Amino acid sequence: MSSWPSGGLETVANCPVCGAGRRRVLHDRLTDAVFDCAPGEWTLHGCEACAAAYLDPRPTPQSIGLAYQTYFTHSDAPGYESLGAFSKIRRRLANGYRNRRYGTRDYPASSLGVALIPLLPRMKAIVDAGMRHLPPRPEGGRLLDLGCGNGAFLLRARSAGWQTLGVDFDAQAIKAAEKLGLDVRLGGVEALDPAVEQFDVITMSHVIEHVHDPVGVLTTCASLLRPGGVLWLDTPNICSVGHEEFGRHWRGLEPPRHLVIFSPAAMRKALADAGFSTVRLQPYRRLCRETFRASAAIAEGVDPYSGAGPAVPPGQVAKAERLARKDPERREFITAKAWK
C-alpha cells in the first residue's frame, strides 16, 4: 500500500459539523476498497456530540484529486431498446407517471402509469427519488444541481420545464454535459455569486460527504436560494443498519473521498446552522439490497461494481429493510429537504 504524500494531508482537530473535540475512533487503517485508486490508510473518527464521522488526517483540497483518478459516477440509465419486455413496461409506466406528476416529456410513456405507480409503493419511491422530490415549478423556476456529473438529472429537470444550471469539479463530466446543450460550469458552489444568481431549488446527490467544509457549502446554498426555496440532498448515513452490519466494509465509508459522513442529527444541526428553518426526511425507499451486496463484496476483497461478490442472505436484507422502514434514523441514506 503506497502512502498519501505527507505534504498533502491536513489535521482535523474538531468535528467539521459541530466543532466539538470529543471523539472516538470508529475505524482505523481504512483503504480505498471501492475504486482502488487512492493511496494511503485512513482513520475515521466519530463525534461524540453530533455522531457525525470524519477523517483525521485527511487530504487537503489541493491533493484530494489523487483520490479521483479512476473514480466514476452518474452512469446513464440503459437505453429503452436494450431492456427486456418487463423492464420496458416498467419504463413506460414510470415515464407516464413522471410526465403527469412532474411535467416531464419522457418517451415512450403509458398513461396507465398515473394510476398504477401510486399503487406500487416501491416503484413510486424510486421514481420520486429519481426526480429528487421536486416541488411544483413556479413561473420561471430555476434549479441548481451541485455535482451535476454528466448532466443526466439536469436533462430530466429541463424536460420538466426548469431553467437549469449545473456545476461540477470533473472537467470530463462537464464536457459531456456541454455536448448535451446544458448550462454547466466547472467548479463548486463558491463560484456562484448570491448577489446575482438566485434559485428556487438546489439539489445535491451524494456530494456533501465529499466537501471539506460542509456547513460552509450549505450556508452558501442557503444564500443562493430565493425566500421559500428548497434544498434537496442525499448522502450516506453513518447510523444506518448497513454500517452496523458491515462496519469498516460498509459501502458508504469510501475513504478518502468521503471526508464527512453525517448522522441524521448532524445533518439537522448543519442545516439549521446554515440558515434553514425546516428540515424533513423524504419518503422511505428500499436501499439495503444494493448497499449490502456492495459491502459484502468489499469484505471479500471483490470489486463492488463487478457483480462477482458473495450473495447476501435475503433474510438479512428483509430484516434490515423492516428496521429502516420503521426508523428513518437507520436508513442507508439521509434523503432530506430543507427550506430557507
Side-chain angles (χ1 to χ4, degrees), residues 73-74 148-151 168-178 184:
T73 58
H74 306 282
C148 65
N150 59 16
D168 201 291
F169 283 106
D170 186 336
Q172 293 302 115
I174 289 295
K175 288 181 181 178
E178 287 176 337
V184 289

Side-chain angles (χ1 to χ4, degrees), residues 63-121:
S63 70
I64 190 66
L66 288 173
Y68 291 86
Q69 297 173 84
T70 61
Y71 179 75
F72 62 89
T73 58
H74 306 282
S75 57
D76 293 325
Y80 179 79
E81 294 303 325
S82 68
L83 299 175
F86 182 66
S87 294
K88 285 182 177 178
I89 293 172
R90 287 170 58 92
R91 178 72 64 86
R92 289 197 296 270
L93 292 173
N95 287 347
Y97 171 77
R98 269 191 297 264
N99 289 351
R100 178 66 66 85
R101 170 69 177 78
Y102 295 99
T104 54
R105 298 184 296 275
D106 292 340
Y107 180 83
S110 170
S111 59
L112 291 175
V114 178
L116 291 180
I117 294 297
L119 302 177
L120 304 170

Side-chain angles (χ1 to χ4, degrees), residues 122-190:
R122 294 183 186 178
M123 189 171 177
K124 180 179 184 299
I126 292 170
V127 176
D128 285 338
M131 288 301 299
R132 304 185 183 179
H133 305 100
L134 285 176
R137 177 178 53 81
E139 185 69 26
R142 296 195 72 207
L143 179 146
L144 170 66
D145 186 21
L146 296 179
C148 65
N150 59 16
F153 173 70
L154 288 174
L155 281 177
R156 186 153 276 165
R158 188 175 69 177
S159 171
W162 290 88
Q163 298 177 25
T164 62
L165 173 66
V167 296
D168 201 291
F169 283 106
D170 186 336
Q172 293 302 115
I174 289 295
K175 288 181 181 178
E178 287 176 337
K179 289 182 179 178
L180 298 173
L182 292 165
D183 183 4
V184 289
R185 301 177 194 172
L186 183 63
V189 69
E190 68 282 348

Side-chain angles (χ1 to χ4, degrees), residues 324-338:
R325 182 187 295 275
K326 181 179 179 181
D327 185 358
E329 308 286 310
R330 305 292 306 284
R331 295 172 183 170
E332 295 302 294
F333 296 164
I334 300 169
T335 308
K337 273 185 177 180

